[in-house]
C-alpha cells in the first residue's frame, strides 16, 4: 500500500515539482527538497518517483539518520518495489524522437568545435522534449539521464552554468537512482568540475566524494573521468600546492593518451594548465606558450574561462596590454571571473577607475568565491594606495572569503609588496591569518609591481606605438589607422613622454619592457 506522509497538502503538477526538487538538490538545499517531497508525495510517487529516490541518494546519510522526517520518507519509499514506477513500454512520440535526434546532433556538433551551434541545437532538443506528452515522457525516463548529461555538458562548456548545474545534477540523481553508474559518474564529475572552477570548495568535495563512491561501488572498474581529476587539480591549485596540482594534470593527460577526448575535455585541461602556469614559479611555459597553447584553433577561439586563464597567465608575466585585450574582447556581460581578472589587470596598469568599476561588479557575485576574493583584494589595494584607513578592513574581507572557501591562491592577484603591506595592517583572526600565512610560506608567482607613475596608454596610442615599433612610417601608420599624419605624430610624442624615451629604438625597448608589444 502506498502511504502518504502526514501533512501532505494540495499538490502542484508533478513535473514542475520534480524540477524544483532537482534544483534544490543542485544547491544542496536539503530542507527545501524534503518539503517539496512531503507536500507532493502522492503525485511524485505516481509519476516521478525518481525525484524522491534522488533526494534519498543525494542527501548526506548522517542527515537522514539524525532526522525522523528523512527516515519516514525513506521508509515510505520502500513500500514501492524497487522505489521506481514500473517501466511503461511505449513507442516514443515524434516530439521525443526529435529530442533524441537533436541531442545526438548537438553532441557531434560540439565535438566538431562549433559550440554556438551545439548550444542552439541543445535548446531545440530541450524544447522538443518538453513538448512531448507527459505520458510519452514517463515511458522513456530511462533515456532522460543520458539526454540531461549531454545538455548539461554543452551548457557547461559555453552556455549558462546555472542551467548546466541543474541538468547535470538531475542526470546524476536519476542515473544513480536508476542504476546507471557510468552516467551518474560522469555527471557527478562534471558537477564537481563546475564547483571547482568557481572555487566552491565544500560543494566540490561533496561531488568528488559522490563520484569516488560510484567508482568504489561499481562491480566492474570505471575509469576516472578527466573532469574529476581536474577538479582535484584545481583543489590543490587553490591551496597553493602546485606540485600536486601538476601531478593531477599529468594523470589527466595520461587518461586521454591514446584516445581522442572531446574538445570540452581539452578546454578543461587547458584552463587548469594555464592557471597553474600563472602562479607556479616552477612553470617553464613561455609567453608564447601561453598565447598559443597546444590546442585546435577552434578550442582556442572559445571565450569564457579559457580566455580568463590565459589573460591571468600573461598578466603574471608582465604582458598587461595583451591580457587587457583578451578580456576586453569577451562578449558582454562578462562572467564574474573575467570581471575580477580585468580589475586586477587594470590595477597593474595603473587605471584605478576601471579597476574599481570591475572590482565592485565582480564582488557583487559572492557565489563565485575565487573571483570574489580577487575582486576584494584589488579593491583593498586601491584603498591602500589612497592611504585610506579602510584598506585594512577591506583586505580582511578578502581574507575572510579566502579562508572560508579555501582559495588563498586568489589573494596572489596583486603585487607582492601590496599583499605584504595589507597583511601588516589588517586585523585578522586566526583562521584568516592561516590563509594569509599560507600565501607567505608558499612559492608562488605574484604579478609584477607597476612601474612608478604607472602608464596610462590609450588604445589609440597603443595601436600607433605598435605600428611604429614594427618599422612603419608615420604616413603608413596613419593610413593603417585611418587618421592623419599629425595625429600619429601627436600619439608618438605622448608615447615618448610616457615611456621616457627620445628615439624610435628606445621606444621599442621600453614598450617591450612594459609588456606593450
Amino acid at each position: 500500500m502506498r502511504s502518504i506522509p502526514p501533512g501532505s497538502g494540495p499538490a502542484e503538477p508533478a513535473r514542475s515539482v520534480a524540477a524544483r526538487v532537482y534544483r534544490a538538490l543542485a544547491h544542496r538545499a536539503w530542507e527545501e527538497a524534503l518539503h517539496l517531497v512531503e507536500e507532493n508525495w502522492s503525485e511524485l510517487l505516481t509519476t516521478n518517483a525518481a525525484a524522491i529516490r534522488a533526494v534519498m541518494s543525494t542527501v548526506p546519510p548522517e542527515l537522514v539518520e539524525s532526522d525522523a522526517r528523512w527516515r519516514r520518507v525513506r521508509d515510505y519509499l520502500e513500500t514501492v518495489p524497487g522505489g521506481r514506477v514500473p517501466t511503461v513500454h511505449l513507442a516514443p512520440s515524434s516530439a521525443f524522437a526529435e529530442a533524441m535526434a537533436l541531442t545526438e546532433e548537438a553532441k557531434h556538433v560540439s565535438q566538431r568545435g562549433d559550440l554556438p551551434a551545439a548550444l542552439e541545437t541543445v535548446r531545440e532538443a530541450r524544447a522538443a522534449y518538453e513538448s512531448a506528452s507527459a505520458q510519452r515522457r514517463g515511458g522513456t525516463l530511462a533515456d532522460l539521464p543520458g539526454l540531461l548529461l549531454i545538455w548539461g555538458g554543452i551548457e557547461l562548456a559555453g552556455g549558462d552554468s546555472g542551467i548546466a548545474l541543474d541538468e547535470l545534477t538531475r542526470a546524476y540523481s536519476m542515473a544513480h537512482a536508476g542504476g546507471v553508474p557510468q552516467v551518474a559518474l560522469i555527471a557527478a564529475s562534471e558537477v564537481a568540475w563546475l564547483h571547482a572552477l568557481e572555487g566552491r570548495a565544500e560543494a566540490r568535495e561533496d561531488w568528488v566524494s559522490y563520484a569516488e563512491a560510484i567508482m568504489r561501488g561499481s562491480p566492474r572498474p570505471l575509469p576516472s573521468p578527466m573532469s574529476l581529476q581536474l577538479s582535484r587539480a584545481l583543489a590543490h591549485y587553490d591551496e597553493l600546492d602546485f606540485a600536486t596540482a601538476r601531478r593531477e594534470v599529468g594523470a589527466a593527460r595520461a587518461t586521454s593518451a591514446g584516445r581522442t577526448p572531446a574538445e570540452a575535455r581539452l578546454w578543461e585541461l587547458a584552463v587548469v594548465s594555464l592557471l597553474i602556469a600563472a602562479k607556479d614559479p616552477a612553470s617553464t611555459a613561455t609567453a608564447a606558450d601561453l598565447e598559443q597553447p597546444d590546442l585546435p584553433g577552434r578550442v582556442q577561439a572559445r571565450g569564457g574561462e579559457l580566455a580568463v586563464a590565459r589573460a591571468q597567465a600573461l598578466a603574471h608575466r608582465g604582458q598587461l596590454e595583451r591580457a587587457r585585450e583578451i578580456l576586453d574582447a569577451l562578449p558582454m556581460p562578462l562572467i564574474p571571473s573575467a570581471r575580477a581578472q580585468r580589475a586586477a589587470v587594470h590595477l597593474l596598469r595603473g587605471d584605478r577607475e576601471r579597476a574599481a568599476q570591475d572590482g565592485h561588479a565582480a564582488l557583487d557575485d559572492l557565489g563565485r568565491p575565487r573571483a570574489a576574493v580577487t575582486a576584494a583584494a584589488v579593491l583593498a589595494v586601491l584603498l591602500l594606495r589612497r592611504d585610506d584607513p579602510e584598506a585594512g578592513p577591506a583586505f580582511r574581507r578578502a581574507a575572510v572569503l579566502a579562508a572560508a572557501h579555501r582559495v588563498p591562491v586568489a589573494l596572489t592577484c596583486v603585487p607582492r609588496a601590496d599583499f605584504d603591506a595589507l597583511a601588516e595592517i589588517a586585523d585578522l583572526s586566526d583562521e584568516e591569518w592561516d590563509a594569509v600565512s599560507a600565501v607567505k610560506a608558499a612559492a608562488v608567482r605574484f604579478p609584477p609591481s607597476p612601474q612608478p607613475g604607472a602608464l596610462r596608454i590609450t588604445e589609440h596610442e597603443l595601436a600607433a606605438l605598435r605600428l611604429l615599433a614594427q618599422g612603419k612610417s608615420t604616413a603608413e601608420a596613419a593610413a593603417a589607422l585611418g587618421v592623419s599624419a599629425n595625429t600619429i605624430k601627436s600619439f608618438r610624442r605622448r608615447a615618448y613622454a610616457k615611456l621616457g624615451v627620445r628615439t624610435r629604438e628606445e621606444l621599442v625597448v621600453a614598450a617591450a619592457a612594459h609588456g606593450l608589444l
Side-chain angles (χ1 to χ4, degrees):
M1 177 179 177
R2 295 177 181 174
S3 303
I4 302 176
S8 294
E12 57 182 292
R15 182 170 60 83
S16 64
V17 174
R20 290 173 59 198
V21 168
Y22 290 123
R23 190 172 296 110
L25 294 179
H27 295 284
R28 303 171 68 249
W30 312 133
E31 191 69 23
E32 180 183 349
L34 175 62
H35 176 73
L36 287 166
V37 167
E38 287 184 326
E39 291 296 310
N40 299 275
W41 178 265
S42 180
E43 286 69 22
L44 286 173
L45 201 58
T46 302
T47 62
N48 210 327
I52 307 175
R53 282 188 59 80
V55 172
M56 300 315 299
S57 63
T58 305
V59 172
E62 59 272 17
L63 181 58
V64 176
E65 293 302 328
S66 65
D67 190 325
R69 296 173 303 157
W70 290 105
R71 295 197 299 275
R72 181 173 55 179
V73 171
R74 180 188 61 193
D75 294 343
Y76 278 123
L77 187 61
E78 290 174 355
T79 65
V80 183
R84 283 185 287 168
V85 177
T87 302
V88 181
H89 298 285
L90 296 172
S93 67
S94 59
F96 188 85
E98 181 184 7
M100 295 281 286
L102 285 168
T103 299
E104 193 65 21
E105 179 185 347
K107 181 172 70 174
H108 291 303
V109 170
S110 176
Q111 290 171 348
R112 292 199 305 269
D114 190 351
L115 193 58
L119 282 166
E120 183 178 352
T121 307
V122 155
R123 288 162 187 176
E124 290 176 5
R126 189 185 297 117
Y129 177 78
E130 292 296 331
S131 71
S133 70
Q135 184 184 33
R136 296 299 186 187
R137 285 201 304 271
T140 49
L141 282 178
D143 298 307
L144 186 55
L147 296 183
L148 290 167
L149 183 63
I150 296 171
W151 299 349
I154 292 174
E155 289 283 1
L156 175 57
D160 187 315
S161 62
I163 293 175
L165 181 61
D166 283 351
E167 292 184 339
L168 291 168
T169 304
R170 289 180 65 196
Y172 163 79
S173 300
M174 297 184 74
H176 190 45
V180 190
Q182 184 67 47
V183 171
L185 172 60
I186 296 172
S189 300
E190 290 293 329
V191 176
W193 161 257
L194 193 157
H195 287 303
L197 194 60
E198 305 289 10
R200 293 188 286 263
E202 186 177 351
R204 179 203 68 227
E205 288 179 352
D206 284 347
W207 285 96
V208 167
S209 68
Y210 296 159
E212 291 175 341
I214 292 170
M215 289 191 290
R216 287 194 303 270
S218 175
R220 59 185 179 83
L222 294 174
S224 179
M226 183 186 288
S227 52
L228 182 62
Q229 294 167 305
L230 294 178
S231 298
R232 298 191 192 105
L234 275 181
H236 294 297
Y237 163 83
D238 280 335
E239 297 188 0
L240 303 160
D241 184 357
F242 303 124
T244 306
R246 287 198 309 272
R247 286 196 294 272
E248 288 285 1
V249 170
R253 289 187 190 278
T255 296
S256 65
R259 297 187 297 173
T260 305
E263 289 187 347
R265 303 287 81 78
L266 295 174
W267 168 80
E268 293 172 356
L269 189 61
V271 167
V272 180
S273 299
L274 284 165
L275 290 175
I276 295 172
K279 305 288 187 179
D280 184 3
S283 171
T284 58
T286 65
D289 296 331
L290 302 177
E291 277 281 14
Q292 299 293 334
D294 186 17
L295 289 171
R298 55 185 176 267
V299 178
Q300 292 189 43
R302 285 182 174 176
E305 297 293 348
L306 182 58
V308 174
R310 180 183 288 118
Q312 176 175 280
L314 289 168
H316 275 62
R317 305 300 176 92
Q319 301 294 314
L320 301 179
E321 292 306 318
R322 178 60 186 138
R324 180 192 60 78
E325 288 175 350
I326 290 171
L327 295 167
D328 282 349
L330 289 175
M332 294 295 286
L334 289 178
I335 55 177
S337 59
R339 282 279 197 186
Q341 187 55 47
R342 197 167 68 174
V345 169
H346 287 317
L347 173 72
L348 300 173
R349 294 176 63 247
D351 191 339
R352 299 184 182 186
E353 182 178 347
R354 294 186 69 187
Q357 181 181 5
D358 280 332
H360 285 295
L363 192 58
D364 283 343
D365 191 342
L366 296 178
R368 293 172 168 86
R370 198 184 298 116
V373 174
T374 296
V378 167
L379 295 173
V381 172
L382 292 173
L383 293 169
L384 178 71
R385 293 184 182 174
R386 296 204 306 262
D387 293 324
D388 192 312
E390 286 300 310
F395 184 70
R396 183 183 181 189
R397 286 192 286 274
V400 166
L401 290 170
H405 297 282
R406 304 202 297 280
V407 287
V409 72
L411 294 169
T412 66
C413 64
V414 299
R416 180 65 189 251
D418 292 309
F419 171 85
D420 287 339
L422 287 165
E424 287 296 320
I425 63 174
D427 182 16
L428 303 176
S429 70
D430 289 345
E431 184 178 9
E432 295 145 18
W433 179 250
D434 286 345
V436 170
S437 61
V439 175
K440 285 179 169 291
V444 58
R445 178 188 286 118
F446 286 79
S449 296
Q451 298 295 321
L455 297 178
R456 292 291 299 275
I457 300 289
T458 69
E459 293 184 18
H460 294 304
E461 290 169 351
L462 181 62
L465 186 155
R466 287 177 173 172
L467 288 169
L468 294 172
Q470 293 168 13
K472 302 290 185 183
S473 68
T474 299
E476 288 170 334
L481 296 178
V483 298
S484 69
N486 285 334
T487 299
I488 293 296
K489 291 177 183 177
S490 177
F491 288 160
R492 184 180 62 198
R493 284 195 301 271
R494 293 204 295 265
Y496 278 21
K498 291 178 180 180
L499 289 167
V501 300
R502 290 180 294 177
T503 67
R504 184 176 295 208
E505 291 74 18
E506 291 176 348
L507 175 71
V508 173
V509 172
H514 282 276
L516 299 175
L517 301 181

